Amino acid sequence: MDRWDRAGRAAGYGAALALTPYLLIKVSWVAGSLLGLLPMGAGFGKAEWVVLNSATIGMAGIGIVVALALVRPWGMRIPAAPLTFCAWVATGFLVPVLPYAVLSSLLGSAQGDPHSGRQAGPSMPAWEAALVQIGFVGMGLGLAVALPAYLRRRWPQAFAGRLGDGGKGSLGVPPWTAVIGAAVGLIWLYWALGGTAGVAHRPERDLTWHLLSGVFGFWALVASAATWAAVRGRPAHMPRWAPIVLGWLGSGSLFAWSGWKLPFTLYVAIAQPADAVLPEELALAAVLHLAAVGAGAAMLRTLVRTRPVPAHP
């Protein structure tokens, strides 16, 4: 076992450990709301609150299993497709927002759980908000180290060489996924910089909304540029692993976050809860999230097709 494997093993176990308190907190929220012992988030009825947090319990559980699969021997025997998909979604959720999560923690402005909309305050003790943030940051950092180490063990030649080694990529046409991803990213960056077109409720825009819009817009552009480079095989001197890694993270961010936000956006549009208002025009937001999900999934497929994939061990 070399130093990369040792680092990956420590990171995988650390990620699973960091996310465990979050899982337990979510279980307590569901149990407490069902028993009438804990308040529910603003804008949610009991059924919606239980369903939403039960979904995040499942996501946290899958994340812990994925982290362990990246370091345990049985992880090498799991079929590649489901493990890769779960790891892609998990890294897309967590790694791109790590700088924001760390900054918000240092500034003491943690906003609770971004998945549920529950805010830190009287209904959420500071220690609970801190554990939630530690879970996100720890899981994101752990996956950022454990996943490359796992891929290196399972497919050691997958990222070898440079983009120009085999000429252009296997696809000869401009990747439409990059165009759509760039368009979505530019709209998010426009909102992050203060643009108001497509914003229905301007007072609902806060610092968190601006920062996250900027983060998602940035990674959408990164994913688009990486996909374009991988498909075109340019710049030829660039190591092949660079666009693959950046495209992996960016496409995962598009798919995971918009895949999570799309159902919530549709819920707000249909149910129109009094205490839940989104800044964006709901129809436009739904179209953007749908485009982001489709582009993210297609980008991953494109990246897999344009890189040399060794035979399954």
Side-chain angles (χ1 to χ4, degrees), residues 5 36 105 168 277 283 308:
D5 288 332
S105 298
K168 291 187 177 182
V277 179

Side-chain angles (χ1 to χ4, degrees):
M1 180 185 299
D2 61 19
R3 61 191 179 94
W4 294 111
D5 288 332
R6 288 193 294 270
R9 183 178 296 273
Y13 285 127
L17 182 62
L19 199 60
T20 298
Y22 173 82
L23 174 64
L24 298 177
I25 287 172
K26 284 312 194 82
V27 171
S28 72
W29 286 7
V30 171
S33 62
L34 290 175
L35 297 174
L37 301 176
L38 292 176
M40 293 172 289
F44 292 95
K46 179 179 291 188
E48 292 90 348
W49 185 247
V50 170
V51 169
L52 178 65
N53 286 287
S54 295
T56 58
I57 289 172
M59 292 168 63
I62 292 173
I64 291 172
V65 172
V66 168
L68 293 176
L70 297 178
V71 297
R72 297 299 300 166
W74 51 265
M76 299 293 287
R77 299 190 294 269
I78 295 177
L83 179 58
T84 301
F85 176 78
C86 291
W88 175 63
V89 172
T91 54
F93 260 128
L94 297 174
V95 177
V97 297
L98 276 179
Y100 165 78
V102 173
L103 180 62
S104 66
S105 298
L106 292 176
L107 296 178
S109 59
Q111 297 297 309
D113 177 15
H115 294 158
S116 70
R118 185 172 181 175
Q119 303 295 311
S123 62
M124 187 176 184
W127 65 265
E128 195 174 74
L131 285 177
V132 168
Q133 287 294 80
I134 289 172
F136 291 152
V137 173
M139 186 66 173
L141 289 174
L143 287 177
V145 177
L147 182 59
Y150 173 86
L151 295 176
R152 179 172 172 268
R153 290 196 309 274
R154 189 156 187 172
W155 298 290
Q157 301 302 320
F159 303 140
R162 299 182 181 276
L163 289 181
D165 289 349
K168 291 187 177 182
S170 60
L171 302 180
V173 297
W176 62 267
T177 55
V179 176
I180 294 177
V184 172
L186 288 174
I187 293 174
W188 283 337
L189 286 179
Y190 165 75
W191 283 342
L193 295 175
T196 58
V199 176
H201 303 282
R202 298 184 186 181
E204 298 299 323
R205 300 181 302 171
D206 56 12
L207 179 59
T208 295
W209 182 82
H210 281 283
L211 289 176
L212 289 178
S213 295
V215 168
F216 299 143
F218 168 79
W219 280 104
L221 294 182
V222 168
S224 299
T227 302
W228 188 281
V231 168
R232 290 312 212 182
R234 300 290 184 272
H237 64 277
M238 179 179 290
R240 190 184 302 276
W241 62 264
I244 297 299
V245 170
L246 292 175
W248 173 285
L249 292 175
S251 63
S253 176
L254 280 168
F255 182 89
W257 280 104
S258 285
W260 177 258
K261 290 181 177 181
L262 179 58
F264 183 72
T265 301
L266 295 176
Y267 164 76
V268 173
I270 296 172
Q272 298 183 345
D275 295 332
V277 179
L278 299 180
E280 311 94 336
E281 292 181 2
L282 296 181
L284 176 59
V287 170
L288 287 178
H289 292 319
L290 185 61
V293 169
M299 283 179 184
L300 179 66
R301 181 172 180 268
T302 298
L303 292 170
V304 170
R305 290 177 62 193
T306 54
R307 68 175 176 85
V309 181
H312 192 284

